[in-house]
Amino acid sequence: MNRIVIVGASAGGLTAAEALRRAGHKGAITLVGDETEPPYDRPPLSKQLLCGQWGPDRLALRSGPDLAALDLELRLGVAATALDPLARKVTLADGARLSYDTLVVATGARARRLPGTGGVAGVHTLRRLEDALTLRERLRPGRRLVVVGAGFLGTEVAAAARGLGVEVTLVESAAVPLAAAVGEEAGRFVTRLHQDHGVEVRTGAAVTGVLSAEGGVTGVRLADSAGTSVVPADDVLVAIGCAPNTEWLADSGLSVRDGLVCDEYCAAAPGVYGVGDVACWYNPLFGTAMRVEHRTNAAEQALAVAGDLVRTGERRPFAPVPYFWSHQYGTRLQAHGHLRGHDEALVLDGDPTRRRLLVAYRTGDRITGVLATGLKPAALRAWRALVAARTPWEAALAGSNAA
């Protein structure tokens, strides 16, 4: 294990490099990234940076001296274009071919776009620093923003824009925002939160077109149960999900299905590992494959991969309780576990006026997740422990009633 190539200068990629150095790896580590900026943090793009609270300089994950101390070969501003796992070589867009003994794939995901909107000024996605800076320049009091997609990214941007005095319309094709991910009650909680802050929420609405004049967006055409309508807009944010960046692996022979398919050790093939948004790995704690697009998971997964590479004893599967959070209008939503695909979402506490919500999630006969806001940290940790212990559903509820 002398030559390690990490493709993806992301939080996961950088964490893997740091963990390897801390564990005593003395060999060469090459970190490849398609952006020219050194590794930076992405969650603040839709929050502190977009609101103008932070400048780009605060996003850097490590200072220049700290990066230099890792003794990495940095290949920034160049994308990986192909992989030959038999020859153990990665081809880059500039024609270089990098040999490796171990490869860590951390290429993340990219924002999905609305068809036919390429080249229309004022239509945005938000995934990179340049995206956030462009959108921030346009968010001013009195301007009109339509957010297409009421997932966590879309709702965070809507909240940030309202804080800047922008008129916001939030468009969602489902009947209840976020229902597929966190259940209808949690989705209604978020909906009311936005409505209370002056956001117009349009649900059950499909975007049938983006209107423009002189190359700039002027509105969004919607179709819903009431027919068709046009929402005026100066800007449109498309937040309809992400696609994992796996195209460069197309001819590699590796299994790609909603990301790079990995086993419980995050290994995709001999000498190849996946980390972060791009990795679809088998989580034995929940007995299912999952791909988690959250910052905490990327870092934890990178630490697990680094540990697997340097460990000499029994291997340890990567079996975390995934965690994510979202901050909107001063309300911090936190979730532990695997919420998607749940069989039941039981509301144990719900008081929108006090910004309180506690939802427990059941899959089969086990508690598999919890989402809360306004809950004391110790109580939330106790619920997480129930998920981590694979506690039977009835026992989990009995314990909560006893408390």
Side-chain angles (χ1 to χ4, degrees), residues 14 17-19 21-22 25 27 29 31 62 65-73:
L14 178 62
E18 288 183 317
R21 289 300 190 215
R22 283 198 303 269
H25 177 71
I29 300 179
L31 183 62
R62 296 296 178 268
D66 287 342
L67 270 180
L70 293 174
D71 190 25
L72 307 177
E73 180 190 4

Side-chain angles (χ1 to χ4, degrees), residues 25-265:
H25 177 71
K26 303 297 185 183
I29 300 179
T30 302
L31 183 62
V32 178
D34 63 346
E35 295 183 72
T36 56
E37 295 86 1
Y40 62 88
D41 211 11
R42 296 184 191 275
L45 295 181
S46 60
K47 306 176 188 70
Q48 296 94 332
L49 186 86
L50 199 60
C51 292
Q53 298 170 350
W54 288 11
D57 56 306
R58 289 196 61 178
L59 299 181
L61 288 169
R62 296 296 178 268
S63 66
D66 287 342
L67 270 180
L70 293 174
D71 190 25
L72 307 177
E73 180 190 4
L74 284 174
R75 296 287 192 100
L76 300 179
V78 59
T81 57
L83 169 66
D84 184 343
L86 296 180
R88 299 206 173 195
K89 290 185 182 293
V90 173
T91 302
L92 305 184
D94 61 5
R97 300 192 75 201
L98 305 180
S99 298
Y100 67 85
D101 295 303
T102 300
L103 171 68
V104 178
V105 178
T107 44
R110 66 188 180 281
R112 299 184 188 276
R113 300 178 181 272
L114 284 175
T117 59
V120 179
V123 177
H124 311 266
T125 57
L126 181 54
R127 185 71 188 180
R128 299 183 172 214
L129 174 59
E130 61 189 284
D131 300 332
L133 292 176
T134 299
L135 181 58
R136 187 172 77 172
E137 286 297 312
R138 297 178 65 92
L139 296 181
R140 298 188 297 275
R143 287 180 66 85
R144 302 163 300 179
L145 173 68
V146 173
V147 179
V148 181
F152 280 109
L153 175 62
T155 52
E156 285 179 355
V157 171
R162 282 301 296 146
L164 296 171
V166 178
E167 297 178 16
V168 179
T169 301
L170 193 56
V171 176
E172 171 58 45
S173 59
V176 179
L178 293 165
V182 298
E184 291 191 0
E185 188 62 31
R188 282 191 284 268
F189 180 94
V190 174
T191 299
R192 178 167 176 175
L193 187 62
H194 281 269
Q195 290 172 331
D196 287 346
H197 285 83
V199 174
E200 181 184 2
V201 182
R202 300 282 297 270
T203 58
V207 175
T208 59
V210 173
L211 308 181
S212 63
E214 299 179 356
V217 65
T218 59
V220 176
R221 183 184 295 112
L222 303 179
D224 56 21
S225 59
T228 61
S229 59
V230 172
V231 180
D234 301 302
D235 291 278
V236 175
L237 173 74
V238 180
I240 55 176
C242 293
N245 291 320
T246 56
E247 287 73 17
W248 68 286
L249 302 172
D251 297 322
S252 67
L254 300 182
S255 180
V256 175
R257 186 176 60 254
D258 186 32
L260 175 63
V261 177
C262 302
D263 63 15
E264 64 268 35
Y265 305 104

